[in-house]
Amino acid sequence: MCWKCLNPIDDSISVFRSSVCPVCGVDLHSCRNCRFYSPGSHYDCHETVDELVVDKERSNFCEWFSIAKTFSGSVKDNLSKSDAKAAFDKLFNI
């Protein structure tokens, strides 16, 4: 499932480092799309990763990656920084 648009990803396809969501175009092989992604855990991961992945929304080389089947957050939780800034600006008429 895509973390940004919540589009289901077909189980029959393999997710490679260069794979992108067919709906919104974000990288699929990213921390945010991994079933082990856990904000607040060591390096935000349930697995014992050795290196920090700084940008959790971009493609990476993590060997533990496994596509998440579900996502418990809402679309509002998935706003990018620019979307959040635009919403803030709109709220205060900036």
Side-chain angles (χ1 to χ4, degrees):
M1 174 173 282
C2 175
W3 69 267
K4 187 165 187 173
C5 70
L6 304 181
N7 177 52
I9 304 301
D10 187 3
D11 290 342
S12 65
I13 67 164
S14 296
V15 176
F16 301 103
R17 185 176 180 278
S18 60
S19 299
V20 295
C21 176
V23 175
C24 67
V26 299
D27 295 332
L28 290 180
H29 195 288
S30 66
C31 293
R32 292 289 305 262
N33 270 341
C34 183
R35 72 183 180 115
F36 300 117
Y37 179 64
S38 176
S41 297
H42 180 69
Y43 291 148
D44 295 329
C45 186
H46 274 300
E47 289 299 330
T48 53
V49 294
D50 296 324
E51 294 181 31
L52 171 66
V53 175
V54 177
D55 191 346
K56 308 288 190 216
E57 298 176 4
R58 302 289 294 180
S59 182
N60 60 58
F61 292 101
C62 182
E63 296 175 10
W64 292 104
F65 177 81
S66 177
I67 192 78
K69 303 294 181 205
T70 61
F71 184 73
S72 60
S74 67
V75 175
K76 285 173 65 175
D77 294 337
N78 299 323
L79 292 174
S80 69
K81 289 180 183 178
S82 60
D83 293 337
K85 182 174 179 354
F88 179 84
D89 292 345
K90 183 178 177 185
L91 179 65
F92 291 101
N93 296 322
I94 296 175

